[in-house]
Each structure stands twice: as C-alpha cells, then as structure tokens.
Amino acid sequence: MKFLIVGAGISGCTSARLLADEGHEVEVWEARDHTGGNCHDEKVGGVTVHKYGPHLFHTNDRKVWEFLSRFTQWKDYRHTVVADTALGRISIPYSPVTERQLGRSLDDDEIRELIFVEYSEKQWGIPWGELPAAIRGRVPTRRTDEDDRYFTDAYQGQPADGYAAMFARMLDGIPVRTGRDKQAWREVRHDCDGVIYTGKIDEYFGYSLGRLPYRSLRFEHRRSRERLPHAVINQCNRLPYTREYDHACFSLENPEETVITREFPLAHDPSNEPYYPMPFGEGQALYQKYKELAAAEPGTLFLGRLATYSYLDMWMAVAQAMVKVRGILNQQPAEA
Ligand code: UDP
C-alpha cells in the first residue's frame, strides 16, 4: 500500500515510521522547510533553541518511550518551574516545598487565585470560569509530597542531540518533501491508497463551516550572557507575557551566550501559528461538525493536535498515532 502523510510533526513522523516499518510505501509532505513540527529545535550560537516554544518530554507510557528511544538517547533533564505571584516567586505545582517558601499553607481557593486565574486568562483569552476542567486540571492544584518536578511521569528526558535530530532519524529512508505549498499534496493524492492528514481540520475543508479558534503565541527572544536563575519562570500576574525561559537549561548546555524567550499569548489568525486548539464552547461545537465531515472522508485518517483539535502532549500524539496506525494495519488483508 502507498500512504501519503500530510505534515511532518510528531503525528506525521510517527505514522510514517510505523507504516514504513510494516513495509508500506510512504511519502511525507510538509509545508514548513523542516520536519519535527513544533518540536523543531536549532542551534543559535552554542545553544539549542526550541523555535516553537519549550518542549519537555515526559510520559508514563513505556511503549511510547521505547519507540522514541529507537531514534535518540536521552539527557537526564529534571524539569522544575517557578512562578512570580502576588506572594513572590514560588515553586509550582504547589507542594510542601512551596509552603516552606511562603512560610504558610494555602487553601485551594487561594492557590487558584495565586497561580491559575491570571495566567490562564492571559493564556486562553477568556475568563477562568469558562475554561473546561480538562485545562484547569492540567497542572495539579496541589501536591502532597516533596517532589517539586513539574511532571512526575516515570519516563522523562530531553533528546540527547535535540528534537530535530530525533525526528530526522525517525524519517530515515522515507521520502520527505518540505517547503511545499500547503495544498500541493492534493495533486498526488490520487496516487495513494491512504492519506494521513495532520494539519488543521478546518483548513482541510477550506474553512467551509468557519474558522476554528486556536490560541497563538508571539515570542520575544534575546541573547544574553546572563543566565536566568530558573529554566522557566511563569508570570502569574498581569504582565502581558505568561512565561520566560532560558533555552540553555533544556538541553543542559553551558554556552557563553544563551537565548532567553518571553511568550505572549494571542488569538490565532492567518498571520501566526495555531499552537493551542480550544476544544470547548463554540470551538468544540464547530469541531464536532468538522469531525462529521472527516468521518465521511474516504481513505483519510485525521491525526494530531490540529487535525483532531485536541490539546495533546507530545507523548499523546505518539500514542494516538500508534493506536490509529495499528487500526489501519489491522484492516488490511494479510498479503497487503
Ligand atoms: N497554568 C496556570 N498557571 C501556571 C501554569 C499553568 O494557570 O503557572 C494553567 C494554564 O491554564 C495553562 C495550563 O495550566 O494553559 C497548562 O499549563 P502547562 O504548563 O501544561 O502549559 P503548556 O506548556 O502546555 O503551554
């Protein structure tokens, strides 16, 4: 069988590899001039810069970890986050470590006001009360143990020579066409038995039902000889940016000059990138209609954050591709 994969992010690369491993012919088309999607990183001077925002890998899924470990070794990176709040700079998620910094304990309402409400309203552009539980609960309100890591998953690490290198190895031997017009893949579609589409689902259908809402980000980078005192400093306050981070920390590098970035959330429009789907309220209602169209689309599998309009972590995108590609393979006759 021949498969056309549209998009070379996590979902596209994972699907391409899994199908190629089973002996299928695969071709990947990508609009950007690089593979790896938003995980893409590149060296700026001596520091690895995460071009589309910080990516910190973590999972409890052993199969996902083992799959990725075929393409990279890992640096043993321990991710912690601090937040600037009305009560000063504290470690988050809230834990006994935070209580010692504050010199007292807070109840759940106080934690919500201190850490979540202002940051979330900046990030999502809507009042806290309108955010779904799935987003409100992504970062735990409180931890009761001494573990001050941002993620507590069993498997954590940063690809030893970066995400770009990991995805390049995943695509080893697979034809990849980068820098192509976003619609150009449609011209070769008839040559293929199946399509895996990982772009925006509303774009796939020419925005015929309207545009889905996404949140975007504007990055302000600066080169600096001074390092930040922490890898990530969240701004849980009214400053216009949500977080500031030091790229040298993520790859455990020690360059003469690092790159420090501030993230400013904003609404997505055609001039910027659709980083975060908003699968709640009107966004969810519109997505359901696109999903119905997608279900009627023959031979096309929609995968990933943009095509399934869901806030997937990196490991979830890999896991989703594993399950769905396995589904395609199980449908094929044995000799295919
Ligand atoms: N969040 C918050 N304050 C923080 C950190 C996170 O309110 O200091 C909320 C916010 O709504 C954010 C969500 O938790 O969008 C998920 O945070 P995470 O750090 O996982 O965001 P990501 O890295 O995916 O942007």
Side-chain angles (χ1 to χ4, degrees), residues 82-92 94 98 101-102 104 106 109-119 122 233-239:
V82 296
D84 284 347
T85 70
L87 296 179
R89 185 165 288 179
I90 56 171
S91 165
I92 61 166
Y94 181 92
T98 321
Q101 291 164 340
L102 292 171
R104 68 182 176 103
L106 304 180
D109 289 344
E110 290 173 306
I111 296 171
R112 188 185 65 234
E113 288 300 325
L114 189 68
I115 297 174
F116 291 99
V117 174
E118 284 180 334
Y119 183 106
K122 282 191 281 191
I233 304 173
N234 282 7
Q235 295 299 328
C236 303
N237 50 43
R238 292 193 186 280
L239 288 176

Side-chain angles (χ1 to χ4, degrees), residues 23-203:
H24 293 286
E25 198 182 333
V26 180
E27 190 171 305
V28 180
W29 284 58
E30 166 58 52
R32 289 177 176 162
D33 62 2
H34 62 76
T35 60
N38 289 350
C39 299
H40 180 70
D41 51 19
E42 57 195 21
K43 283 272 185 192
V44 175
V47 59
T48 303
V49 170
H50 292 205
K51 191 172 172 191
Y52 304 97
H55 285 74
L56 294 316
F57 190 78
H58 59 96
T59 185
N60 278 319
D61 188 323
R62 187 176 49 82
K63 285 190 177 145
V64 167
W65 179 256
E66 286 174 355
F67 173 74
L68 294 179
S69 299
R70 287 172 53 194
F71 314 106
T72 188
Q73 298 195 316
W74 300 94
K75 285 185 180 170
D76 191 11
Y77 170 70
R78 186 178 195 282
H79 188 54
T80 57
V81 176
V82 296
D84 284 347
T85 70
L87 296 179
R89 185 165 288 179
I90 56 171
S91 165
I92 61 166
Y94 181 92
S95 72
V97 177
T98 321
E99 289 183 347
R100 283 200 295 279
Q101 291 164 340
L102 292 171
R104 68 182 176 103
S105 61
L106 304 180
D107 65 27
D108 285 358
D109 289 344
E110 290 173 306
I111 296 171
R112 188 185 65 234
E113 288 300 325
L114 189 68
I115 297 174
F116 291 99
V117 174
E118 284 180 334
Y119 183 106
S120 294
E121 291 187 348
K122 282 191 281 191
Q123 172 70 13
W124 296 99
I126 57 173
W128 168 259
E130 290 176 25
L131 276 173
I135 287 181
R136 290 179 177 198
R138 261 179 75 86
V139 175
T141 308
R142 75 166 66 233
R143 292 227 188 98
T144 50
D145 59 19
E146 291 288 327
D147 191 348
D148 67 343
R149 292 175 304 165
Y150 201 57
F151 311 109
T152 52
D153 304 42
Y155 306 102
Q156 303 195 27
Q158 290 293 81
D161 51 358
Y163 286 93
M166 178 174 79
F167 286 107
R169 282 192 285 269
M170 197 181 289
L171 292 174
D172 195 26
I174 294 173
V176 183
R177 316 206 185 286
T178 51
R180 298 305 170 107
D181 180 272
K182 274 193 169 172
Q183 303 301 329
W185 60 272
R186 293 181 192 271
E187 290 161 23
V188 296
R189 176 185 197 146
H190 59 272
D191 277 346
C192 302
D193 303 297
V195 174
I196 295 183
Y197 178 80
T198 70
K200 283 166 61 178
I201 189 167
D202 51 350
E203 185 170 82

Side-chain angles (χ1 to χ4, degrees), residues 300-334:
T300 306
L301 179 64
F302 291 76
L303 276 189
R305 222 185 229 221
L306 298 177
T308 65
Y309 201 59
S310 40
Y311 189 175
L312 302 178
D313 287 336
M314 286 183 279
W315 76 269
M316 293 174 178
V318 176
Q320 184 195 53
M322 285 176 146
V323 169
K324 298 288 183 181
V325 167
R326 177 62 43 210
I328 297 181
L329 293 172
N330 287 343
Q331 280 166 19
Q332 306 309 319

